[in-house]
Amino acid sequence: MTTGLIPGEQPSEPRPKGGLPHPRQEPSGQAAQHVDNRSRSSVITARAAASFEPQGRSVASARSFVRDTLQGWGFADILDDAVVLTSELVTNAVVHAGTAADVLCLRTEDGVRIEVADRYPKRDIPVQGIADDMASPDREGGRGLQLCRALANRWGVDYTPTHKQVWFQLDLPERPVGTRAAGPSLPADLLPLADGRVRVAVVQIDRTGAISAWNEDAEELFGYAAEQVTGKPLTDFAAWPHTPGTGTGIAEALQLSRWEGSYGIRGADGRITPVYASHLRVRDTDGEPSTVCLLVRDHERAVLQTPLRMASSDSGGSGEGQSTDPFEVFIGSPAPDDLDGLLQRTVERARDMLDGDSAFLLLATDDETELEVRASTGLPSARQRFARVPVEAGPGRYGSARMPAVHEDLTMVPGAVPLLSGTGMRSVVTVPLKVEGRLTGSLGVAAEAPRRYSNEEALRLQFAADRIALAVESARLGELERLRRGSLSFLVEASDLLAGTLDRDQTLALMAQMTVPTLATWCAVYTIADQASEPYLSYVLHEDEELIDGIKSLLSKIPPPDPVPTPGARVWSAPAQAAHEAALRTSMRSLGLGEPVRRVSSGIGPTLATAAAVGGETVVLPLVARNRVIGMLTLGKPTDEHFRQEILELAEDLSRRAALALDNARLYSERTAISQSLQRSLLPPELPEIDGVEVEVIYRAAGEGNEVGGDFYDLFPISDGAYGFAIGDVCGTGPNAAAVTGLARHALRLLAREGLSGPAVLERLNSAILDEGARSRFLTLLYGELRPQEDGSAELKVVCAGHPLPLRLRQDGTVEPAAEPQPLLGVMEDLELYEQTVTLDPGDVLLCVTDGVTERREGTRMLGDDGLTEVLTTCTGLTAGAVAARIMRAVERFAQDAPSDDMAILAMRVPGLHTD
């Protein structure tokens, strides 16, 4: 079906299609009077068009199209006649003629004109002699025209080369001046209940959606003075309900020519007042549009509410051979594809069928112990959406959703239907939805007047419920399957993200970002350091970043939830209560009513927006890892919203994964801190300052998170004027190599300070390494003693045990080894080592490196001793720090990949006589 709506169109000749029209065949006799007298001077104010395929269900679709169109235009008085005539004419087109049908509705000031055209112009309509055949009910042909003659004010038939068109005109009935609708006189006890004085708030909204007028009754109802609200958007005060299956919001509603319904206004005290509103779009003399809103308290809706329409009759003839689908009769065609749309259409049609004020539909949980509210119409707000009620609420037929029930007056049985508490509904009828004997849901219709429903209405509603139960269950299972597939994808992605980090802060941020806004509007994560610690608010996130600080401030002022290890979500009411109290205090101050007794602490105070953000349902899920509660995940909704059970189950699965990831991050952080502390203990303290000698060290440990590896260095005082220095390389990297590093560095200091010579120090260190047994590792080591001389030079005594030879850079740029190679340590028990003496003249540099520098590789290339020598020759005249930096830069640039081995560089330089 395709439809179109074009407002404000001028009149035209009746739809010529496909070229020049054939001469019009006029009905004769009495029927001709209808045709000849039709008016062509009325202005067409709106039109709606639709096309229907040649199939039986198109008749019901056409009825729904005309019904919805005329209801939208406010033509309830002629609705039934129009639906019956359209049904007959479309049946003639799609069933008897076997072609598609085009339906056009034209709205005029006096009524409506409906045209039905088919694609079978050769099938003549027997308009001649219609008056003679009216008395023959058995005649098959011309039945639709008989009804047109009997019901329409004017009608006629047009022919074109490709189409045949039948049209009829229905005029609005004349009413006394000033009367739009009237009802009978009623006894006083049956009149709608209102307060002592009915207040009608008149609010005018300009084209931008801002409030431009606010009368005294609005001030009295909502607590705001006109100057407080003028110029502010209505959306700042309106609590607009979410209607499943539709996309109309407050901004769209304000643009409609007319709108009527329920929503809420957030008052100055922070509470939401349910209101019933009637919107009218107008324009001033300058053509500027605005919307006038009339509002009353919802229980006084009778003051503004348009009289409810009666259910239209679809009992008109449907033509020979048409099979009527009971589901389509109730729901209409085409049926909505999504579950929410189907449920919303169901409650609206159920309300209309029993002429109710509201209707609601609940679906059963998997275990059939509870019912969840999934759709409603006519209720003050959507606050009960996704709320749950037990299937067996009490004894007898009134306490079980498995049986039809009629409550003649809810005031006589308080709490019988919790969903309707505080809504003003007095009588209600509910029936179960069952599939193969299994309870799948419950459908209810309620009215404000008592004793409106009896067993007869319950049977009618049960009949309709039986027609739709299977379709609803099929749609529900489809939605559940889509939700489960989406949940699995969500959990897989969440697991990958959580497993990809061991950083605690990043894990907290991921937890929050995965829940908002997918599962909740806002969330907060509390962490518990140990069993003796109180929960700490570690992270807060809201889908609106501007509200994060307000929520964080609000949560910091209330005690955290108890760390209960029981799995599953539990409701936490403290945030909503604190938000309401904070909003009330804020409103009192803004109205100049004085400071409350308990002052709000300094900082970012909760605002009305914060109160609305956390005013809905809040749940807490424990974060349990390794049989210990390590925190809580708090999820929240804004005012009047609840969580679906499927969402809570998904959040519980996520919380288990997040708890393990958070605990892994905690353990990793603890072990990293311990490792770094131990590694730092293996590094030497600050290097001593040596008069007459510049010293610079650069150290890089391979591997992420390592501060110390198998390479090490040291420089320490031995005695007056003498200093020991060492640079070594333990076989391997990581913790095992670092353990030997610690042994070597501390043993060197201890033995050197005992006054032993260099060879003796290394021989005893060799014995200590071999004593480690299986944990021992061989070690290359360059050890020496440094003594600055009075003439500005420096004397070095060096032992090179298997280590890369130290290089001496002279002032003339020549480079030469400063020692000879000797056996490494940790391999043989008996070592014969000797020391060599080297004198550094002013301006000379001694460079000592580990093999991580010389063995730096790029593919098959290696830096090597020659490459290091070449770089060192360019360092003449540089300080020790500049020499070490240039060597490290050359090593890093030699290859693109990160170094795979530890590296240490020790540069010592004797300053020249004229060095600054």
Side-chain angles (χ1 to χ4, degrees):
M1 181 185 76
T2 59
T3 63
L5 180 62
I6 308 174
E9 183 171 318
Q10 297 300 319
S12 60
E13 289 295 325
R15 29 186 311 156
K17 288 195 176 184
L20 297 175
H22 284 182
R24 182 178 292 109
Q25 178 177 348
E26 304 288 358
S28 61
Q30 186 177 356
Q33 297 177 4
H34 298 288
V35 179
D36 296 337
N37 293 334
R38 67 180 184 268
S39 173
R40 296 177 181 267
S41 60
S42 298
V43 176
I44 297 175
T45 58
R47 65 182 289 172
S51 298
F52 302 93
E53 297 300 322
Q55 53 189 12
R57 65 183 299 171
S58 294
V59 179
S61 301
R63 289 197 297 267
S64 299
F65 164 69
V66 173
R67 179 190 302 111
D68 294 341
T69 300
L70 268 58
Q71 286 174 348
W73 289 348
F75 288 174
D77 294 336
I78 59 176
L79 178 63
D80 291 343
D81 290 346
V83 169
V84 169
L85 294 178
T86 302
S87 179
E88 286 293 338
L89 297 180
V90 172
T91 299
N92 291 336
V94 302
V95 176
H96 299 309
T99 74
D102 300 326
V103 180
L104 175 67
C105 299
L106 302 173
R107 184 182 69 183
T108 68
E109 299 172 349
D110 302 325
V112 65
R113 171 188 171 113
I114 297 179
E115 303 175 357
V116 179
D118 61 41
R119 318 289 171 86
Y120 196 178
K122 296 181 180 180
R123 180 182 171 90
D124 293 341
I125 292 182
V127 294
Q128 305 291 340
I130 280 184
D132 300 334
D133 294 332
M134 283 294 293
S136 177
D138 296 329
R139 179 179 175 83
E140 190 65 29
R143 181 183 299 172
L145 300 186
Q146 294 175 6
L147 290 174
C148 286
R149 180 181 183 277
L151 301 178
N153 298 98
R154 290 173 295 279
W155 65 278
V157 184
D158 297 331
Y159 286 97
T160 71
T162 58
H163 289 73
K164 176 174 76 275
Q165 172 185 289
V166 181
W167 61 269
F168 60 88
Q169 176 91 22
L170 295 175
D171 295 336
L172 292 174
E174 296 184 1
R175 300 190 180 97
V177 177
T179 302
R180 181 177 183 275
S185 299
L186 295 176
D189 60 344
L190 295 181
L191 296 176
L193 182 64
D195 293 344
R197 176 189 170 189
V198 176
R199 298 184 180 275
V200 180
V202 181
V203 182
Q204 193 153 0
I205 313 299
D206 63 21
R207 70 186 309 162
T208 66
I211 298 173
S212 59
W214 184 270
N215 73 341
E216 294 181 358
D217 279 358
E219 295 183 12
E220 183 66 27
L221 285 175
F222 310 123
Y224 298 107
E227 54 271 16
Q228 291 180 285
V229 298
T230 302
K232 295 182 179 180
L234 180 63
T235 53
D236 288 356
F237 306 94
W240 195 259
H242 169 68
T243 303
T246 67
T248 303
I250 184 170
E252 291 82 1
L254 292 174
Q255 298 298 320
L256 300 177
S257 60
R258 281 188 177 275
W259 185 90
E260 187 175 326
S262 298
Y263 54 92
I265 295 292
R266 186 174 294 104
D269 60 356
R271 295 182 181 274
I272 294 178
T273 301
V275 297
Y276 193 82
S278 177
H279 296 176
L280 175 65
R281 189 77 165 161
V282 298
R283 59 187 173 92
D284 58 21
T285 55
D286 296 329
E288 186 70 15
S290 62
T291 303
V292 178
C293 306
L294 305 180
L295 304 95
V296 297
R297 281 170 287 214
D298 195 75
H299 65 273
E300 297 172 342
R301 61 168 59 191
V303 176
L304 299 180
Q305 189 174 27
T306 301
L308 292 173
R309 59 185 180 272
M310 296 296 293
S312 60
S313 172
D314 285 346
S315 60
S318 56
E320 181 182 2
Q322 179 186 6
S323 60
T324 302
D325 185 350
F327 173 76
E328 290 185 357
V329 171
F330 184 72
I331 294 297
S333 178
D337 295 331
D338 60 304
L339 177 62
D340 285 339
L342 176 60
L343 299 183
Q344 191 64 24
R345 181 86 65 89
T346 299
V347 296
E348 291 172 355
R349 294 298 165 85
R351 177 198 61 186
D352 296 344
M353 185 179 72
L354 296 188
D355 192 18
D357 295 307
S358 65
F360 51 89
L361 192 148
L362 304 89
L363 294 184
T365 56
D366 292 338
D367 56 5
E368 299 181 17
T369 60
E370 291 182 306
L371 294 170
E372 186 177 57
V373 181
R374 291 297 302 270
S376 64
T377 182
L379 295 178
S381 69
R383 65 179 181 273
Q384 282 95 359
R385 179 162 163 78
F386 301 126
R388 292 194 164 197
V389 296
V391 170
E392 307 292 346
R397 62 175 297 203
Y398 292 102
S400 175
R402 303 182 187 277
M403 298 290 292
V406 178
H407 292 275
E408 296 182 344
D409 193 345
L410 291 176
T411 60
M412 305 300 294
V413 191
V417 185
L419 178 65
L420 300 179
S421 298
T423 62
M425 301 298 159
R426 296 282 298 277
S427 54
V428 61
V429 53
T430 61
V431 296
L433 275 67
K434 293 184 177 181
V435 175
E436 297 179 351
R438 181 173 57 87
L439 180 69
T440 60
S442 178
L443 176 64
V445 178
E448 295 177 347
R451 294 178 293 277
R452 281 281 300 274
Y453 302 117
S454 62
N455 288 338
E456 180 181 353
E457 283 78 15
L459 290 175
R460 291 179 58 195
L461 189 62
Q462 184 67 70
F463 180 80
D466 293 341
R467 304 284 78 74
I468 66 168
L470 185 59
V472 170
E473 180 66 3
S474 176
R476 187 187 74 85
L477 292 176
E479 181 196 61
L480 186 60
E481 180 62 24
R482 289 191 297 272
L483 180 61
R484 286 175 177 170
R485 287 199 300 267
S487 299
L488 289 176
S489 300
F490 173 78
L491 290 175
V492 168
E493 182 179 359
S495 299
D496 289 342
L497 290 173
L498 291 172
T501 178
L502 288 172
D503 182 83
R504 176 183 177 277
D505 293 337
Q506 188 174 2
T507 302
L508 290 173
L510 284 174
M511 290 171 57
Q513 292 166 6
M514 285 185 292
T515 57
V516 176
T518 304
L519 305 181
T521 306
W522 65 272
C523 83
V525 182
Y526 291 85
T527 56
I528 303 174
D530 52 63
Q531 295 181 353
S533 302
E534 291 293 325
Y536 174 74
L537 182 61
S538 298
Y539 203 91
V540 175
L541 183 65
H542 190 281
E543 60 183 7
D544 183 355
E545 294 182 356
E546 296 181 356
L547 298 177
I548 294 177
D549 290 336
I551 297 176
K552 187 180 300 182
S553 175
L554 178 70
L555 294 178
S556 65
K557 292 178 173 62
I558 60 177
D562 296 330
V564 178
T566 306
R570 54 191 173 92
V571 177
W572 186 30
S573 59
Q577 294 175 356
H580 175 71
E581 294 175 1
L584 180 60
R585 292 194 296 269
T586 301
S587 299
M588 291 176 63
R589 288 195 302 272
S590 65
L591 295 174
L593 300 180
E595 286 285 341
V597 177
R598 294 183 298 171
R599 295 177 178 268
V600 179
S601 61
S602 60
I604 302 175
T607 62
L608 292 177
T610 303
V614 301
E617 188 175 53
T618 302
V619 297
V620 178
L621 297 103
L623 299 175
V624 181
R626 297 175 175 89
N627 298 321
R628 187 175 72 87
V629 180
I630 63 171
M632 284 88 67
L633 176 63
T634 303
L635 307 180
K637 288 280 190 179
T639 301
D640 295 340
E641 290 194 23
H642 296 265
F643 285 98
R644 294 179 58 177
Q645 184 62 25
E646 292 86 350
I647 295 297
L648 294 180
E649 293 172 356
L650 181 58
E652 186 177 355
D653 285 340
L654 176 63
S655 68
R656 287 195 291 267
R657 291 165 169 77
L660 187 59
L662 184 61
D663 199 46
N664 288 340
R666 177 188 63 82
L667 293 174
Y668 177 77
S669 299
E670 291 178 356
R671 282 158 175 72
T672 300
I674 294 172
S675 174
Q676 291 175 346
S677 177
L678 292 175
Q679 289 185 60
R680 282 192 292 270
S681 70
L682 299 178
L683 294 174
E686 294 183 359
L687 297 178
E689 293 186 3
I690 304 176
D691 293 336
V693 179
E694 298 175 359
V695 179
E696 182 65 26
V697 174
I698 296 179
Y699 183 82
R700 297 285 188 273
E704 184 180 358
N706 290 333
E707 294 189 21
V708 176
D711 291 6
F712 69 96
Y713 67 93
D714 202 358
L715 180 64
F716 54 92
I718 299 176
S719 60
D720 293 339
Y723 296 85
F725 67 91
I727 183 170
D729 184 4
V730 180
C731 175
T733 60
N736 293 330
V740 179
T741 296
L743 170 64
R745 193 177 69 81
H746 290 292
L748 282 175
R749 287 194 173 212
L750 179 63
L751 295 173
R753 287 171 178 171
E754 291 294 324
L756 298 177
S757 64
V761 169
L762 268 60
E763 290 170 1
R764 284 168 174 75
L765 175 59
N766 180 66
S767 299
I769 295 174
L770 294 175
D771 288 344
E772 291 292 309
R775 295 184 301 176
S776 66
R777 289 170 176 258
F778 64 81
L779 167 68
T780 67
L781 180 64
L782 173 65
Y783 173 75
E785 295 181 1
L786 169 67
R787 291 179 181 272
Q789 303 297 313
E790 293 181 357
D791 60 357
S793 63
E795 183 184 79
L796 291 81
K797 294 182 179 181
V798 182
V799 181
C800 186
H803 198 78
L805 299 179
L807 298 178
R808 176 181 179 179
L809 172 66
R810 296 183 180 275
Q811 280 189 316
D812 59 4
T814 59
V815 176
E816 60 184 8
E820 296 177 354
Q822 300 184 56
L824 51 75
L825 308 181
V827 177
M828 299 179 293
E829 294 185 359
D830 297 328
L831 289 180
E832 294 183 1
L833 303 175
Y834 58 92
E835 62 184 7
Q836 297 173 274
T837 302
V838 179
T839 301
L840 296 180
D841 297 326
D844 288 355
V845 175
L846 184 70
L847 177 67
C848 309
V849 301
T850 58
D851 59 5
V853 174
T854 57
E855 295 179 2
R856 175 72 162 149
R857 295 178 179 275
E858 173 70 15
T860 59
R861 297 188 308 121
M862 186 173 71
L863 180 63
D865 296 333
D866 295 339
L868 180 63
T869 300
E870 183 179 350
V871 176
L872 184 59
T873 57
T874 65
C875 297
T876 303
L878 298 181
T879 64
V883 171
R886 179 171 292 186
I887 297 298
M888 178 55 71
R889 187 163 56 250
V891 172
E892 291 175 343
R893 291 178 177 178
F894 188 80
Q896 295 182 352
D897 297 336
S900 59
D901 195 5
D902 304 328
M903 292 187 294
I905 299 174
L906 172 63
M908 293 181 290
R909 177 177 181 269
V910 178
L913 297 177
H914 302 288
T915 301
D916 295 334

